[in-house]
Amino acid sequence: MLAAVLVVFMMLAFFRASVTGWVLAIMVIVPVVAIQSRIPDTALQAVYSVLFLFILLFGVPLLRRNIISSTILKIFRNILPQISATEQEAINAGTVWWDGDLFSGRPDWRKLLAFPKPSLSAAEQAFLDNEVKQLCAMLDDWDITHRRADLPPEVWQFIKDKGFFGMIIPKRYGGLEFSAQAHSAVVCKIASRSGTAAVTVMVPNSLGPAELLLRYGTDEQKEKYLHRLATGHEVPCFALTGPFAGSDAGAIPDYGEVCYGKFEGRQNVLGVRLTWEKRYITLAPVATLLGLAFKLYDPGQILGGEVNRGITLALIPTCLRGVQTGRRHFPLNSAFLNGTTQGEGVFIPMDFIIGGTPYVGQGWHMLMECLAAGRSISLPASSVGGMKLAARTSGAYSRVRKQFHLPIGKFEGIEEPLARIGAYTYMIDAARQFTALAVDLGEKPSVISAIVKYHATERGRSVINDAMDVHGGKGICLGPDNYLGRAYQQAPIGITVEGANILTRSMIIFGQGAIRCHPYVLKEIAAAHEPDRKRALHQFDDALFGHIGFALSNAARSFVFGLANGRGIPAPPGGETRRYYQQLTRFSSAFALGADAAMAVLGGSLKRREKISARLGDVLSMLYLCSATLKRFEDDGRPAEDLPLLHWAMQDALYKTQQAFDGVIQNFPGTLARRMLSALIFPLGMRLSPPADHLGHQIATLMMQPGAARDRLTAGIYLPKVHDKTHHALSPHPNLPPQAGEGANESLRESCDYDEQDATGALEAALASTLACEPLQAVLEEARQAGKLSALDELPRIAEARDQGIISAEQALQLERDYVLRRKVIMVDDFAADELRAGK
């Protein structure tokens, strides 16, 4: 009987029964149980009395609201943590998209797969294939970062002339009006060539004057500035961060006071007198138009209302009297222009405020709304560009570079980082495209943007670290032929900006998501702040009992799914992916349960329990990254060649999800709560394992040879071709006979269209040459072991084999060419002593 009752209650919870459903079930079950148990009449009467009281309290809405819900509402108001105005603005910013499904415990996979496949228009693809390609061909990152500490003047002019600063600006204002997908693709491709150029292009198209004007500007402001911004006649920057306000941007001390002043010869102009000191401002050293965030005060109450009007945004020409453009910062040897800006007593008229007087005090909301979209594109795209470059070059280098007579990529010690590089790149590129799609669909995904920014930059750092380990000495010696060193140095920049990653993980992803994406929490908070008692009680009662049913349902689903290890859950068809959908559904239910448990048990203190919040954020992040990865696999046509990447990425993320849950449970307060969570989420224990070694071997293999899977993994990066530049011939090695070197170069030009003067072009050519020459190398090795060849060095040995007729003259030229390519790839840059002195 007890088992039957438990099954009934489990089904009620599983299918999320309403309060009425629970009351009706209890009305039927309790008498049956009492009669079957032969309870004495007096006890049975007591049971009926309790049951009647229960029915009255929970089954009659009027009584339930005024007795139960009103009591809980009072408690809820007392324990509800204090939320600052800036925190509230952040919570309210943006929209809820797929993250809402993941928070529901019931993700709709049909909805996921019904989203359109990310794509570019013909004009956008043409821009990538032409203007972006031309820009990349103009970029010499060593010259930019070491010699100039800036982009060359002709590059600056090209960027302006070709509209790179106006990608988000509509065509009617002279912009390109690109989709978020195209914006992301452009930044990604440039980032694979030069981090400096990528930052220079992405900043004007991210959080800054153009986006703020498009969303909030007056018609006059749009007409005045947008065309000039799109054509590069104005160079924008946006100043938020200062010496005493970094992550806590709401604490900015910069201020303005409403007053009357003189402007351009006119007296008694209503405006604001500003004082500010900002730092870390990208493009500030060359900006002609400064976007400024400051706190506005109206001591004379000229505008009416309060004295403290809140954070406000303005556009200020940097030529204005009193505006001081300070010295440059030098962020980790990156040459993008970043510096300080100051102003003291700078007077601006009211029409310099973005949106005019109606938007006074709305600055923080405006910034959060724009950040939700901008953060979804720029940093993920730049990170993925670097990751794809690392994946492409690490795979090729691992095949070309040999030690102990074997390509280094065939050693398991190298396979391990190659697997991480490939799988992380595959997953984060999927998240990049999926998130850009959300923006193109009209979403402003605030929580998702935090997820993808954090994981793109963190995994980007992991990938570049692994790539440096694979390259060894080749990676650590800076110079024109080092394609990884600057990316390695500059990885912490993306970690730090647009919400430092420590803060993003520990406070924003779950902290904002728990309120923004949860189907009931925001409603409960709104009811708690509702001043009308009757309306508050109705709203809170509906939200509370909806929340209780939601929590019970997810507890039941988590337990049942855990018992079955996810099996039996409805999922899209497909043998390779079905189990992944089932595991994600299981963990979505468990996540919803864990989130409710954390909020219920920890209450307001959850805000300070950042480690638990961070781990719950990790779970939500993994659910999102896995969703994007499955979507990518489906959109790509489910290619069998990509399965090792898919399997490794998914299994790694699911294992990390399991471990994050374990971290939450082990650190949850209260022994009883820990045991209950563990039993509901892992009723049979933790059964997932990291990816198997054979998957890593398969990934390393596909990364080390040309093919469709390798090309899909690294699609969209810049690979230098001979027709991109005028000078492309590879100089023969000084020890190579002139006639042989010339023949080798001629053979090379006929068979390979990569620019071999460029380090990455030479590496691509060397990979193809290495694979083509392996049979010939085997012939030479066999002859050497048979005692037919006595030369100790490679080039004389090739000549000896040719002279003995072991190989043909044409084959000898092919091997000599291969030697030149391999030597160029393996060698590192060197310098005269005076070349490295400061100022040289």
Side-chain angles (χ1 to χ4, degrees), residues 18 39 49 95 104 157 199 361 466 487 497 507 550 572 625 654 739:
S18 66
I39 297 175
S49 298
T95 58
S104 73
Q157 197 59 50
V199 172
D466 280 333
V497 300
M507 297 179 68
F550 174 78
L625 295 180
L654 288 169
Q739 67 275 15

Side-chain angles (χ1 to χ4, degrees), residues 55-198:
I55 293 169
L56 284 177
L57 287 177
F58 288 91
V60 180
L62 182 63
L63 290 176
R64 184 181 70 234
R65 282 195 296 266
N66 287 284
I67 297 175
I68 296 175
S69 296
S70 64
T71 303
I72 297 176
L73 177 57
K74 291 176 183 177
I75 298 171
F76 185 73
R77 282 171 168 161
N78 290 330
I79 66 172
L80 191 66
Q82 291 294 317
I83 299 176
S84 67
T86 53
E87 287 176 316
Q88 190 63 53
E89 291 286 1
I91 289 169
N92 293 338
T95 58
V96 177
W97 189 52
W98 182 247
D99 43 337
D101 273 68
L102 298 175
F103 239 104
S104 73
R106 296 169 176 257
D108 184 350
W109 301 115
R110 291 172 299 179
K111 172 182 172 182
L112 174 81
L113 299 180
F115 288 128
K117 178 181 178 179
S119 62
L120 304 177
S121 70
E124 291 168 343
Q125 188 62 56
F127 188 82
L128 274 170
D129 294 340
N130 294 287
E131 284 84 351
V132 179
K133 186 176 181 181
Q134 292 174 48
L135 173 61
C136 289
M138 297 169 70
L139 300 172
D140 178 345
D141 203 47
W142 179 249
D143 177 63
I144 291 167
T145 59
H146 182 70
R147 298 192 183 99
R148 297 177 183 272
D150 194 1
L151 296 173
E154 62 272 19
V155 171
W156 273 105
Q157 197 59 50
F158 185 87
I159 288 171
K160 294 176 180 179
D161 292 345
K162 299 301 180 180
F164 282 87
F165 285 171
M167 286 192 288
I168 66 170
I169 296 176
K171 292 178 181 178
R172 68 178 181 274
Y173 296 113
L176 298 175
E177 199 172 344
F178 278 176
S179 65
Q181 204 67 238
H183 177 187
S184 176
V186 169
V187 172
C188 182
K189 189 163 191 171
I190 299 172
S192 72
R193 187 65 171 171
S194 166
T196 297

Side-chain angles (χ1 to χ4, degrees), residues 277-327:
E277 181 186 15
K278 304 286 191 179
R279 64 176 180 177
Y280 307 145
I281 310 305
T282 300
L283 296 186
V286 291
T288 60
L289 186 63
L290 168 68
L292 183 70
F294 60 93
K295 288 182 177 176
L296 182 64
Y297 298 92
D298 185 9
Q301 296 183 301
I302 298 172
L303 302 178
E306 299 179 359
V307 172
N308 184 352
R309 302 305 297 267
I311 294 175
T312 302
L313 310 181
L315 288 180
I316 304 169
T318 56
C319 61
L320 205 62
R321 183 176 179 180
V323 178
Q324 303 173 43
T325 298
R327 289 152 60 90

Side-chain angles (χ1 to χ4, degrees), residues 80 258 274 305 312 370 415 429 508 578 722 728-729 764 774:
L80 191 66
V258 179
L274 291 163
T312 302
C370 290
E415 284 184 354
D429 191 30
I508 294 177
R578 184 174 179 80
V722 294
H728 57 262
E764 286 294 304
E774 279 188 345

Side-chain angles (χ1 to χ4, degrees), residues 90 108 167 169 178 180 291 420 507 581 615 631 655 658 727 789 791 816:
D108 184 350
M167 286 192 288
I169 296 176
F178 278 176
R420 282 194 299 269
M507 297 179 68
Y581 287 111
R615 293 183 185 108
K631 176 75 165 64
Y655 177 74
Q658 173 185 267
H727 304 292
L789 300 176
E816 289 166 349

Side-chain angles (χ1 to χ4, degrees), residues 798-838:
I798 294 170
E800 188 179 4
R802 180 195 59 209
D803 294 343
Q804 292 186 26
I806 297 172
I807 58 174
S808 67
E810 184 178 351
Q811 289 172 331
L813 288 176
Q814 187 178 355
L815 286 169
E816 289 166 349
R817 163 185 179 261
D818 183 61
Y819 174 83
V820 173
L821 281 169
R822 284 187 287 108
R823 180 178 174 84
K824 177 172 176 57
V825 165
I826 293 167
M827 296 298 287
V828 300
D829 298 287
D830 49 51
F831 304 89
D834 65 341
E835 289 183 84
L836 298 179
R837 291 175 186 155

Side-chain angles (χ1 to χ4, degrees), residues 83-95 364-369 371-372 375 444-447 507-508 511-513 515-516 522:
I83 299 176
S84 67
T86 53
E87 287 176 316
Q88 190 63 53
E89 291 286 1
I91 289 169
N92 293 338
T95 58
W364 192 247
H365 172 77
M366 295 158 69
L367 289 174
M368 290 300 100
E369 288 283 332
L371 184 62
R375 191 168 55 186
K444 292 175 282 186
S446 54
V447 175
M507 297 179 68
I508 294 177
Q512 187 174 355
I515 298 174
R516 196 74 180 88
L522 198 59

